[in-house]
Amino acid sequence: MNKKFDRFAGFAFLLVGILFLVESQKISDSAYGSSVGPKIFPMWLGIILIALSARLLYETFKYKSEESKKERLQYKKFLIIFVSAVLYAFFLEKIGYVVSTFLFLLIAFQTVERGKMVYSILISAAFSFGVYYMFSELLGGSLPGFPLL
Amino acid sequence: MDTLQFLADGFSVAFQWQNLLFALVGVIIGTAVGVLPGIGPMSGVALLIPVTATITSGMPTSAAAASSIILLAGVYYGAMYGGSTTSILLNTPGESSSVVTTLDGYQMAQQGRAGVALAISAIGSFCAGIVALIGLVLLAEPLSNVAVKFGPAEYFSLMLLGLAAVSGLAGKSMTKALIMTVLGLMLGTIGIDAVSGIARFTYDQPILYSGLEFLTVAVGLFALGEVFKTILEKDEETGAIAKIHRIMPTKQDLKDSAIPITRGSLLGFFIGVLPGAGATLASFFSYMTEKKFSKNPETFGKGNIAGVAGPESANNAASGGAMIPLLTLGIPGSGTTAILMGALIMYNIQPGPLLFDEHPEVAWGLIASMFIGNLMLLVLNMPLVRVFAKIIETPKKYLLPMIVAISFFGVYAVQYTTFDLFLLLGCGVLGYLLSKNDYPVAPLVLALVLGPMIENNMRRALTISNGDFSIFFTKPLSLVFIVAAAAWLLVPLLLKLRGRKVIINEEG
């Protein structure tokens, strides 16, 4: 178990709980005569979460941190793929489904493992065109097409 | 009409050509999902919801719902089956429910009996599927008849029990599991309140008025979280795949596994019916039972066929049993059934006691299709074992980015907003971080699905009682559920205090 993460998460959840408790007080009371309005449930959730995160924080002081073997995480690969996924989401509606999917897949394939460029291009193209054609043409769904053309 | 008549109607739904096709596609994809390490039944089902939603978009709602749920359920029990393949051939369980299968299955493969192990797990899965089906047919009507009489107080307590059960068993720390449950309930309150029409936690963002889409959250937490994990953590080289020589089991093999299969099926079914206890727990229990009943327990772990037959039957039976609370009570007992329920709700079909009256073709069609699907699995898998074993070799290089692209497509095709794509990515990162640090994500998804229902029932009950909370304790059935819920949380805690090891369910 990772003590640092648990502490951080405990504080984060504590904040979320407090936020929920405070914000739920701003919800207006029910319009009709019922005594149980829309704020009761979120309010209690906030209180319970505060209690649970306090418990979690308390637990982090009790157990010994078993520092497991440091595994080397591949941050670089992950970041490249994550950023290209964010850009993919951002540009999807702007440059269309086929182009953005093709580019994303190509970059991601090459990031996970370099080489075999021809395969990567072929598979990316087949996937992006295939999904677009199947979905938009055959099934009558709607995807952003080719706005630039 | 009696049950048999309904079942016959169900078969006529399941035998429509498109539904046969859906079941076939479902079990094939399910087996592939089970075989591929990295995608579990939960992300498999979640990823396919948008695809089925589009394919069935031209059909009338009820028929569309029946067809989709047939496919999605096929993925669910197909994955249970496929999970055993990697356990036996590679010593790497494809699903958590097949972890115990590695103990004896891989040993059998080492002795050159990989084909037999695969075949016996196919046969066991089939028998278990049939047992689960019979149980479903017998229990569905009476249970939904009882459930019809439930008032809001009973429903509230019952759902509380469902959440308590899942949180009590999930993960290593109950505090963490409970935090995830509460977080899921909180996310469920975002949006317009269904009772009063007041916007909560939306901060004037129109995109939030309809609430966070559960599909986006589920796909992000499970599928993307899993992908990110595989990208970040370079996994160990996979070992050599065992060769498959002979597939047909001998008479002696069949004789040795007949009783374990029967026991595993029954045990698995009843464990599956219990909320929170899923296929993983069922397979563990079955393995322990077989070891206990065996005449020579020392052969377990050295390639005893009963150690494959029992657990494999149990996990399939459990996935069938898990359908019972979902269909009759409208309460999913696990992460995957929560996703199935989300799919039904997307079609405006509310699982629960009324399902059998209002949409009998969905309920009975699904039950009948499970029978057909299990038959298909048996027929497909005996000859195709070698083909499915090949899927293991799919290079990660192409698999991982493609899962991301499919999730994007799936979410965008249903939601049509880029907001959901960003939410998807955010949930992916969150899913990775949380599950890496032992925060189980299944309770979160379950709570997100159940949240609005819990709140509505609570408020309806409290409106009836004029705000008096004692209504949950004075109604006898409701009291029983609440006591059971409390017990579910307290008993593991007490056992832990006494230093006993508690089996946990990591599948959710």
Side-chain angles (χ1 to χ4, degrees):
Chain A
M1 279 195 256
N2 190 339
K3 207 176 218 173
K4 226 158 88 191
F5 183 87
D6 280 354
R7 286 230 178 110
F8 173 76
F11 275 116
F13 290 136
L14 192 66
L15 282 181
V16 173
I18 293 171
L19 185 81
F20 243 72
L21 185 58
V22 173
E23 290 293 305
S24 67
Q25 298 309 310
K26 295 183 189 155
I27 298 171
S28 46
D29 267 313
S30 188
Y32 69 103
S34 168
S35 53
V36 268
K39 68 165 143 186
I40 300 270
F41 193 65
M43 184 187 89
W44 277 105
L45 288 179
I47 293 172
I48 296 171
L49 191 64
I50 290 172
L52 283 172
S53 36
R55 163 96 201 156
L56 181 68
L57 285 171
Y58 167 73
E59 279 175 5
T60 60
F61 289 100
K62 268 189 16 185
Y63 64 73
K64 287 205 184 74
S65 190
E66 30 191 288
E67 218 35 72
S68 54
K69 60 212 179 294
K70 273 270 183 249
E71 41 192 338
R72 281 172 55 84
L73 296 180
Q74 301 181 302
Y75 287 114
K76 204 175 138 205
K77 276 186 185 179
F78 170 74
L79 273 181
I80 296 174
I81 291 180
F82 186 74
V83 169
S84 34
V86 171
L87 291 176
Y88 177 25
F90 185 74
F91 282 111
L92 181 68
E93 284 177 348
K94 296 187 175 62
I95 60 173
Y97 181 79
V98 178
V99 180
S100 57
T101 309
F102 174 76
L103 289 176
F104 168 74
L105 281 179
L106 192 60
I107 295 170
F109 285 156
Q110 288 300 319
T111 315
V112 178
E113 196 185 307
R114 281 202 168 272
K116 291 193 185 160
M117 201 59 184
V118 182
Y119 273 111
S120 298
I121 292 176
L122 280 179
I123 294 177
S124 314
F127 183 91
S128 46
F129 272 104
V131 169
Y132 182 77
Y133 180 75
M134 286 262 290
F135 188 70
S136 297
E137 305 292 321
L138 291 183
L139 296 168
S142 135
L143 281 174
F146 300 91
L148 295 180
L149 297 185
Chain B
M1 279 199 289
D2 60 349
T3 311
L4 282 178
Q5 178 63 45
F6 276 121
L7 189 61
D9 289 348
F11 270 105
S12 69
V13 173
F15 270 119
Q16 286 163 10
W17 69 268
Q18 80 269 24
N19 288 342
L20 281 177
L21 195 68
F22 273 85
L24 182 69
V25 171
V27 295
I28 291 179
I29 294 179
T31 315
V33 161
V35 169
L36 288 169
I39 330 180
M42 240 179 294
S43 28
V45 175
L47 276 177
L48 278 171
I49 289 177
V51 180
T52 54
T54 359
I55 298 176
T56 56
S57 59
M59 298 191 221
T61 331
S62 197
S67 299
S68 326
I69 201 77
I70 283 173
L71 192 151
L72 297 173
V75 175
Y76 183 28
Y77 54 78
M80 289 297 147
Y81 177 81
S84 59
T85 312
T86 45
S87 297
I88 293 167
L89 294 181
L90 270 175
N91 204 15
T92 334
E95 317 302 333
S96 56
S97 58
S98 316
V99 172
V100 279
T101 313
T102 56
L103 298 177
D104 280 288
Y106 188 62
Q107 287 301 320
M108 283 183 74
Q110 296 280 297
Q111 297 159 11
R113 294 206 293 160
V116 178
L118 287 169
I120 214 72
S121 71
I123 296 168
S125 301
F126 175 73
C127 296
I130 305 304
V131 168
L133 185 77
I134 295 170
L136 208 52
V137 170
L138 290 179
L139 282 176
E141 275 293 305
L143 257 183
S144 60
N145 285 341
V146 173
V148 162
K149 301 197 180 77
F150 283 8
E154 281 86 357
Y155 261 113
F156 171 77
S157 312
L158 185 60
M159 283 185 245
L160 221 52
L161 170 63
L163 284 182
V166 170
S167 320
L169 290 168
K172 291 179 184 142
S173 150
M174 199 189 288
T175 317
K176 290 179 179 176
L178 285 173
I179 286 181
M180 299 318 285
T181 310
V182 176
L183 213 60
L185 291 173
M186 283 179 160
L187 291 177
T189 61
I190 295 175
I192 303 245
D193 169 36
V195 180
S196 60
I198 290 169
R200 295 188 294 185
F201 306 109
T202 53
Y203 302 104
D204 297 324
Q205 299 293 317
I207 201 100
L208 287 176
Y209 282 154
S210 55
L212 297 182
E213 175 61 33
F214 122 91
L215 181 70
T216 312
V217 177
V219 172
L221 285 176
F222 291 112
L224 282 197
E226 214 35 73
V227 169
F228 290 163
K229 178 176 182 249
T230 327
I231 295 174
L232 273 165
E233 294 166 9
K234 198 172 191 167
D235 43 14
E236 68 279 16
E237 287 299 308
T238 37
I241 298 173
K243 287 253 164 26
I244 302 168
H245 300 291
R246 180 196 153 86
I247 292 180
M248 282 316 285
T250 59
K251 269 222 176 82
Q252 185 60 38
D253 289 335
L254 286 176
K255 226 179 102 191
D256 287 344
S257 33
I259 294 175
I261 286 177
T262 322
R263 255 200 303 257
S265 306
L266 291 173
L267 192 73
F269 176 74
F270 287 108
I271 291 180
V273 174
L274 293 176
T280 312
L281 207 61
S283 59
F284 267 102
F285 265 122
S286 165
Y287 190 79
M288 292 191 310
T289 318
E290 288 316 317
K291 207 169 168 179
K292 201 164 250 171
F293 278 99
S294 171
K295 284 191 191 94
N296 22 343
E298 70 281 356
T299 55
F300 275 82
K302 291 175 190 152
N304 191 324
I305 199 164
V308 175
E312 276 305 312
S313 320
N315 68 28
N316 264 60
S319 71
M323 293 287 178
I324 290 191
L326 173 69
L327 291 178
T328 57
L329 305 175
I331 292 176
S334 69
T336 318
T337 41
I339 290 173
L340 287 178
M341 173 157 167
L344 283 174
I345 292 176
M346 268 177 60
Y347 287 101
N348 222 357
I349 285 175
Q350 180 72 47
L354 294 176
L355 179 72
F356 287 83
D357 291 330
E358 285 171 359
H359 304 281
E361 71 281 16
V362 177
W364 290 104
L366 171 64
I367 293 175
S369 86
M370 284 175 73
F371 175 79
I372 298 169
N374 272 303
L375 199 65
M376 284 175 176
L377 272 177
L378 186 68
V379 173
L380 274 177
N381 280 296
M382 295 293 269
L384 289 183
V385 154
R386 287 192 177 86
V387 181
F388 280 119
K390 276 265 176 263
I391 299 180
I392 306 173
E393 293 165 20
T394 313
K396 288 234 166 65
K397 173 181 179 179
Y398 299 115
L399 186 65
L400 296 176
M402 231 120 88
I403 297 176
V404 179
I406 295 172
S407 330
F408 264 58
F409 163 73
V411 166
Y412 190 83
V414 174
Q415 297 299 115
Y416 295 116
T417 61
T418 34
F419 166 78
D420 272 85
L421 294 180
F422 291 118
L423 178 65
L424 177 77
L425 285 170
C427 286
V429 176
L430 212 60
Y432 165 70
L433 285 176
L434 290 174
S435 43
K436 183 177 163 57
N437 291 290
D438 303 319
Y439 292 81
V441 279
L444 193 155
V445 173
L446 188 63
L448 181 61
V449 173
L450 285 181
M453 290 159 53
I454 289 189
E455 185 183 5
N456 288 347
N457 279 302
M458 180 188 92
R459 281 160 66 182
R460 273 164 58 203
L462 287 177
T463 307
I464 294 170
S465 72
N466 279 325
D468 186 359
F469 275 89
S470 68
I471 183 171
F472 299 116
F473 304 103
T474 46
K475 295 220 169 196
L477 259 178
S478 165
L479 180 67
V480 169
F481 292 142
I482 286 199
V483 169
W488 216 293
L489 293 179
L490 290 177
V491 168
L493 216 61
L494 289 177
L495 286 178
K496 244 181 222 166
L497 278 181
R498 296 181 58 188
R500 292 273 292 277
K501 257 198 148 168
V502 184
I503 305 167
I504 48 165
N505 190 10
E506 295 203 11
E507 164 226 32

